[in-house]
Amino acid sequence: MKILILGYSDIVKRRVIPSLLEINQIKSIDIASKSRNIKKNAKLSNIYKDYDEGLNKSDAELVYISLPNSLHYQYSIKTLNRNKNVIVDKPAITKLNQLEKIEDIIKEKQLGISMSSVFQYHKCWKKFKSISLKNSKEGTLVANFTIPKLNKDNIRMSKRLDGGAFHDMAIYASNAGYIFWETPLEKLSLFKSSENGLITGFNVIINYGRGKEFIGRFGFNKTYTNQIQYHGLNFSTKYDRVFSPPPNLETYITKETKNQGIKSYMIGYDDSFKNYLTYVIKYLNNDRKKLCREFFDQNYEYEKLLRQ
């Protein structure tokens, strides 16, 4: 399979390309970018200086869109209309009603689409979920994901390009509980804070019914935290670096109970991006409808936050 990457973002350089180089099913890589400093690699085939030129000239059947948030929807539509499958960085949409348009094209052309939100593909997430729910399906899931102040020229600080903490992190807020309990939300409360018209933080409380609740704190301009905890009946579990564990991080889970104290479970190393991309390629070949169902299910949950 051949893949075309639109954009040469930091995440493409650090995580996507290294993963693609290790996946045998990917035979060659085209890149369309305005950057003049594209690093050569063993699978690099063609470089295009313009995104539309890449879409028009590349014969890749799969396109990875890693552009500013404001261009995700636009280039997803353009890619699908050129009969190519899509992987798009989070968030796939930034405005209401965009999802319906994507769904119409997918139904017409029978293509595949997926959103690159990869935390759930790490083996530590799977173990955290397993240990937590084995003891109690009723409880409170608490996530904290905050980062220090960004430079003014950072793309995430651009209101024009749909930056801000909400577009950067809300997919985690809408999907952590949904993926954990595998059930859609029933009620939610959302509280946003802004600076100079840009959302820099938000808190959310989501109820999933039957004693299941998610509480999340997300934002910029704070001490770095990246953690999720589950509080069940007479126990709690904790997983650090949940939303962005690097492949060289030795992950672990802690479980605390009243009678037995704290126990650690060493999970080890894993590459969530490689796992995710391997998964997408598998189901593009075997079951595109499954990929599309996951994409729309997760984004309709996200759209519920957009409506607030």
Side-chain angles (χ1 to χ4, degrees):
M1 179 179 286
K2 187 173 189 177
I3 187 169
L4 166 66
I5 301 174
L6 299 186
Y8 196 56
S9 65
D10 180 64
I11 200 70
V12 163
K13 289 181 278 189
R14 288 190 300 107
R15 301 299 302 272
V16 176
I17 289 177
S19 295
L20 292 173
L21 292 175
E22 293 186 12
I23 297 173
N24 292 332
Q25 294 94 324
I26 296 296
K27 303 303 181 184
S28 62
I29 301 169
D30 287 351
I31 298 175
S33 173
K34 297 176 182 179
S35 172
R36 297 181 180 179
N37 300 308
I38 295 175
K39 186 178 179 181
K40 293 184 179 180
N41 63 68
K43 293 185 180 180
L44 182 61
S45 181
N46 299 299
I47 298 174
Y48 304 101
K49 298 299 183 183
D50 179 83
Y51 309 137
D52 291 286
E53 180 190 13
L55 284 177
N56 289 330
K57 292 184 177 180
S58 175
D59 59 351
E61 58 263 53
L62 174 61
V63 177
Y64 190 114
I65 299 168
S66 191
L67 300 172
N69 293 341
S70 59
L71 298 178
H72 287 182
Y73 168 74
Q74 175 185 340
Y75 274 92
S76 292
I77 295 295
K78 285 187 175 186
T79 302
L80 292 169
N81 280 329
R82 285 168 174 79
N83 296 307
K84 299 178 185 293
N85 301 295
V86 171
I87 298 174
V88 58
D89 273 343
K90 63 167 181 66
I93 59 169
T94 58
K95 295 178 176 61
L96 297 174
N97 303 319
Q98 290 180 339
L99 205 54
E100 287 83 353
K101 177 65 174 177
I102 294 174
E103 192 166 18
D104 288 343
I105 298 176
I106 289 291
K107 287 179 179 178
E108 176 191 348
K109 295 184 174 290
Q110 298 295 300
L111 292 165
I113 188 167
S114 182
M115 178 180 61
S116 181
S117 174
V118 305
F119 71 92
Q120 68 268 35
Y121 294 89
H122 198 286
K123 64 182 181 181
C124 197
W125 166 266
K126 295 174 182 177
K127 190 67 175 178
F128 170 77
K129 178 178 174 179
S130 173
I131 291 173
S132 301
L133 294 179
K134 179 181 179 181
N135 289 273
S136 175
K137 290 182 172 59
E138 295 180 2
T140 302
L141 192 64
V142 181
N144 285 283
F145 191 12
T146 59
I147 62 173
K149 188 173 183 178
L150 298 166
N151 293 329
K152 290 188 296 183
D153 59 351
N154 189 293
I155 196 170
R156 287 177 286 179
M157 295 301 292
S158 171
K159 184 178 179 181
R160 179 177 62 86
L161 298 176
D162 286 341
F166 186 83
H167 288 315
D168 190 47
M169 298 174 166
I171 198 69
Y172 299 134
S174 64
N175 275 267
Y178 173 70
I179 293 170
F180 186 77
W181 282 297
E182 299 179 13
T183 187
L185 69 85
E186 294 187 1
K187 297 178 182 178
L188 73 92
S189 299
L190 180 65
F191 311 91
K192 303 174 186 176
S193 57
S194 302
E195 294 180 16
N196 300 317
L198 186 76
I199 297 173
T200 54
F202 64 96
N203 296 335
V204 64
I205 302 173
I206 301 176
N207 187 284
Y208 290 90
R210 298 187 177 183
K212 305 178 184 75
E213 184 177 61
F214 173 82
I215 300 172
R217 174 176 171 266
F218 299 84
F220 301 163
N221 307 336
K222 295 178 173 64
T223 303
Y224 184 82
T225 58
N226 186 349
Q227 183 186 93
I228 198 161
Q229 294 181 318
Y230 184 63
H231 301 277
L233 183 63
N234 298 322
F235 79 97
S236 65
T237 49
K238 183 173 70 172
Y239 168 23
D240 286 317
R241 293 299 298 270
V242 53
F243 296 116
S244 57
N248 62 349
L249 177 70
E250 194 167 11
T251 56
Y252 66 94
I253 296 163
T254 58
K255 179 182 177 182
E256 183 173 2
T257 60
K258 184 176 181 180
N259 296 329
Q260 298 179 343
I262 299 175
K263 180 179 179 180
S264 294
Y265 298 82
M266 188 58 64
I267 309 302
Y269 307 103
D270 201 14
D271 189 334
S272 49
F273 265 91
K274 182 181 177 182
N275 295 342
Y276 164 71
L277 291 167
T278 301
Y279 176 88
V280 170
I281 292 165
K282 174 184 175 181
Y283 283 99
L284 275 178
N285 292 326
N286 299 332
D287 191 353
R288 292 181 182 180
K289 289 183 178 179
K290 175 181 171 66
L291 276 184
C292 294
R293 281 196 304 271
E294 292 171 348
F295 173 85
F296 290 112
D297 287 348
Q298 291 175 19
N299 277 286
Y300 277 117
E301 287 295 294
Y302 172 68
E303 196 178 58
K304 294 172 185 176
L305 269 68
L306 271 182
R307 293 185 182 279
Q308 297 298 302

